[in-house]
Short mmCIF file of all heavy atoms in Angstrom, two decimals:
data_model
loop_
_atom_site.label_atom_id
_atom_site.label_comp_id
_atom_site.label_asym_id
_atom_site.label_seq_id
_atom_site.Cartn_x
_atom_site.Cartn_y
_atom_site.Cartn_z
N LYS A 103 14.58 67.53 53.08
CA LYS A 103 14.07 68.61 53.85
C LYS A 103 15.17 69.37 54.58
O LYS A 103 15.04 70.55 54.83
CB LYS A 103 12.98 68.08 54.82
CG LYS A 103 11.71 67.57 54.12
CD LYS A 103 10.65 67.30 55.18
CE LYS A 103 9.44 66.59 54.50
NZ LYS A 103 8.73 67.35 53.50
N ALA A 118 9.55 77.73 59.74
CA ALA A 118 9.55 77.29 61.15
C ALA A 118 10.98 77.15 61.69
O ALA A 118 11.85 76.63 61.01
CB ALA A 118 8.75 75.95 61.34
N VAL A 141 7.09 69.21 65.76
CA VAL A 141 7.01 68.56 64.42
C VAL A 141 8.29 67.78 64.19
O VAL A 141 9.39 68.39 64.28
CB VAL A 141 6.77 69.57 63.31
CG1 VAL A 141 6.48 68.87 62.01
CG2 VAL A 141 5.54 70.46 63.66
N LYS A 143 10.28 65.47 61.34
CA LYS A 143 10.24 65.11 59.91
C LYS A 143 11.43 64.26 59.47
O LYS A 143 12.59 64.65 59.80
CB LYS A 143 10.26 66.42 59.10
CG LYS A 143 9.08 67.37 59.30
CD LYS A 143 9.12 68.49 58.35
CE LYS A 143 7.86 69.35 58.55
NZ LYS A 143 7.69 70.46 57.54
N GLY A 150 4.57 61.34 51.58
CA GLY A 150 3.63 62.10 52.47
C GLY A 150 3.44 61.46 53.87
O GLY A 150 2.52 61.84 54.52
N VAL A 153 6.06 62.82 58.24
CA VAL A 153 5.98 63.96 59.15
C VAL A 153 5.07 63.57 60.37
O VAL A 153 3.96 63.02 60.13
CB VAL A 153 5.36 65.19 58.44
CG1 VAL A 153 5.11 66.34 59.48
CG2 VAL A 153 6.39 65.69 57.39
N ILE A 155 3.44 64.97 64.08
CA ILE A 155 3.18 66.10 64.96
C ILE A 155 3.12 65.47 66.38
O ILE A 155 2.08 64.79 66.69
CB ILE A 155 1.86 66.84 64.69
CG1 ILE A 155 1.75 67.10 63.18
CG2 ILE A 155 1.69 68.08 65.50
CD1 ILE A 155 2.38 68.25 62.57
N GLU A 185 10.98 70.68 64.04
CA GLU A 185 10.50 72.08 63.80
C GLU A 185 9.52 72.50 64.89
O GLU A 185 8.76 71.66 65.48
CB GLU A 185 9.72 72.09 62.47
CG GLU A 185 10.57 72.04 61.25
CD GLU A 185 9.73 72.17 59.99
OE1 GLU A 185 8.57 72.58 59.97
OE2 GLU A 185 10.28 71.82 58.91
N GLU A 186 9.52 73.77 65.10
CA GLU A 186 8.50 74.35 65.95
C GLU A 186 7.13 74.21 65.22
O GLU A 186 7.14 74.20 63.97
CB GLU A 186 8.78 75.84 66.29
CG GLU A 186 8.57 76.69 65.01
CD GLU A 186 8.54 78.22 65.28
OE1 GLU A 186 8.08 78.66 66.29
OE2 GLU A 186 9.09 78.93 64.39
N PHE A 187 6.06 74.11 65.92
CA PHE A 187 4.70 73.94 65.30
C PHE A 187 4.16 75.38 64.94
O PHE A 187 4.15 76.24 65.78
CB PHE A 187 3.80 73.30 66.37
CG PHE A 187 2.41 73.06 65.85
CD1 PHE A 187 2.15 71.96 64.99
CD2 PHE A 187 1.37 73.98 66.09
CE1 PHE A 187 0.84 71.77 64.52
CE2 PHE A 187 0.10 73.76 65.62
CZ PHE A 187 -0.18 72.65 64.78
N LEU A 188 3.76 75.54 63.73
CA LEU A 188 3.15 76.77 63.31
C LEU A 188 1.62 76.59 63.23
O LEU A 188 1.13 75.68 62.70
CB LEU A 188 3.68 77.14 61.91
CG LEU A 188 5.16 77.48 61.78
CD1 LEU A 188 5.51 77.65 60.34
CD2 LEU A 188 5.51 78.70 62.60
N GLU A 192 -3.27 76.40 55.73
CA GLU A 192 -2.27 76.05 54.67
C GLU A 192 -2.73 76.45 53.29
O GLU A 192 -3.96 76.43 52.96
CB GLU A 192 -2.03 74.49 54.68
CG GLU A 192 -1.20 74.06 55.90
CD GLU A 192 -0.93 72.64 55.88
OE1 GLU A 192 -0.22 72.18 55.00
OE2 GLU A 192 -1.31 71.98 56.82
N MET A 273 2.28 77.91 55.23
CA MET A 273 1.37 78.11 56.43
C MET A 273 1.18 79.60 56.60
O MET A 273 2.17 80.31 56.76
CB MET A 273 2.05 77.46 57.69
CG MET A 273 1.12 77.44 58.89
SD MET A 273 -0.27 76.28 58.79
CE MET A 273 0.50 74.81 59.42
N LEU A 286 6.47 75.97 54.65
CA LEU A 286 6.49 74.62 55.32
C LEU A 286 7.50 73.73 54.55
O LEU A 286 8.33 73.06 55.09
CB LEU A 286 5.14 74.00 55.34
CG LEU A 286 4.11 74.50 56.34
CD1 LEU A 286 2.93 73.63 56.26
CD2 LEU A 286 4.64 74.47 57.79
N GLU A 287 7.29 73.66 53.18
CA GLU A 287 8.12 72.80 52.43
C GLU A 287 8.06 73.21 50.93
O GLU A 287 7.11 73.94 50.58
CB GLU A 287 7.63 71.32 52.57
CG GLU A 287 6.29 71.10 51.96
CD GLU A 287 5.97 69.68 51.57
OE1 GLU A 287 6.93 68.83 51.53
OE2 GLU A 287 4.83 69.39 51.16
N1 ADP B 1 6.11 73.37 61.27
C1 ADP B 1 4.92 72.89 61.14
N2 ADP B 1 3.92 73.38 61.89
C2 ADP B 1 2.61 72.91 61.72
N3 ADP B 1 2.27 71.89 60.87
C3 ADP B 1 3.27 71.43 60.09
C4 ADP B 1 4.61 71.87 60.16
N4 ADP B 1 5.32 71.19 59.23
C5 ADP B 1 4.50 70.34 58.61
N5 ADP B 1 3.20 70.44 59.13
C6 ADP B 1 2.01 69.69 58.75
O1 ADP B 1 2.39 68.43 58.23
C7 ADP B 1 2.06 68.30 56.82
C8 ADP B 1 3.20 67.63 56.08
O2 ADP B 1 4.37 68.27 56.18
P1 ADP B 1 5.24 68.65 54.94
O3 ADP B 1 6.45 69.43 55.38
O4 ADP B 1 4.39 69.26 53.88
O5 ADP B 1 5.80 67.27 54.47
P2 ADP B 1 5.35 66.13 53.44
O6 ADP B 1 4.34 66.76 52.51
O7 ADP B 1 6.54 65.74 52.68
O8 ADP B 1 4.72 64.98 54.20
C9 ADP B 1 1.82 69.76 56.40
O9 ADP B 1 0.93 69.80 55.29
C10 ADP B 1 1.30 70.35 57.59
O10 ADP B 1 -0.16 70.08 57.74
#
Side-chain angles (χ1 to χ4, degrees):
K103 291 190 191 293
V141 186
K143 299 185 175 185
V153 173
I155 315 277
E185 288 182 15
E186 69 169 325
F187 181 82
L188 295 174
E192 289 183 61
M273 186 72 86
L286 285 183
E287 65 156 352

